Amino acid sequence: MGRSSKDKRDIYYRLAKEEGWRARSAFKLLQLDEEFNLFKGVRRAVDLCAAPGSWSQVLSRKLRGKEEKSEDVKIVAVDLQAMAPLPGVTQIQGDITKISTAQEMIRHFEGQPADLVVCDGAPDVTGLHDVDEYIQAQLLLAALNITTHVLKPGGTFVAKIFRGKDVTLLYSQLKIFFSGVTCAKPRSSRNSSIEAFVVCENYSPPEGYVPNMSNPLLDHCYDVDFNQLEGPNRIIVPFLACGDLSAFDSDRTYPLQLDPSKEYRYTPPTQPPICPPYQQACHLRKNNLLAKEESPSVPLDGAFSTLHL
Ligand code: SAM
């Protein structure tokens, strides 16, 4: 009962296991591709913030396919965390805000630019909406910065965005670099989540732009209310719900037996995390090794009397 209840509550979680994807997010990239034909003609692709690797799996399956000449396809996956290997995917364990990571990516492509960069990056959420939105925006800008080092003119950049109150500013910043910017919400992304994806097409940086890793775009602009801007100063980005509308609804609960002719069988996760941070915490707790609060050396009464002196 326990194991299958998540299968019931989250149809994409269940389908991911059944189809062998490492995470349910695979469906988001697949549905974005259905709408935007992202993979057409792509030979070099980068997956930023890739672990545990379901987007890299999609890239590997879609770009390499079963063709024999898949050797000229190059996929680089970057994440702070290590992930289990995938066919045809080179991993860089690194930080997307670091120039060294950009240099490693360039080295891997032997100086050739990438056709596509995708980023599903997300920091650990704090639950404080303003803080979470701000950090997500910073991560997106870091992804944009590193992308400008490797993406070919005309190339595509796809990234996760939080549709918070200052999202207009981000759209404007993306429009500086891409002639087409669309905000898309795949069917597999829950309606209850402010998450969406920007699909930025036709990379065309401003003349004379030199890629760098500093992030001058956001911080100093917070005294301007971007929602008040009008005319050419305000960029309205089209919003698109994507993925076949008859596809499963990610906010609904489905019965375990989806097909009356097929009995439900539990599927374990495709690739459990190889070194999750919680593993050490569980080990410490199990062995009673977690730090304990030291008992105060001065009795509380003493502390109060000191304060009154
Ligand atoms: N797209 C992935 C998939 O389909 O399996 C899931 C990505 S997960 C939602 C977000 C990832 O962003 C985490 O693995 C995290 O380590 C990574 N991340 C966050 N900040 C990063 C940074 N500065 N550099 C590299 N990776 C980062």
Side-chain angles (χ1 to χ4, degrees), residues 22-26 47-57 78-81 83 94-97 119-124 139 142 160:
R22 291 180 178 183
R24 69 190 293 292
S25 352
D47 182 9
L48 298 173
C49 303
S54 80
W55 279 29
S56 292
Q57 276 184 295
V78 183
D79 202 288
L80 293 168
Q81 296 174 42
M83 65 185 212
D95 186 338
I96 65 162
T97 65
C119 176
D120 187 30
D124 292 338
L139 196 60
K160 195 204 305 271

Side-chain angles (χ1 to χ4, degrees), residues 76 92 99-112 146 149-150:
V76 173
I92 299 175
I99 184 73
S100 53
T101 310
Q103 286 159 346
E104 222 174 308
M105 279 158 45
I106 294 166
R107 255 198 310 279
H108 180 72
F109 287 139
E110 294 162 349
Q112 298 284 312
I146 199 164
H149 287 78
V150 289

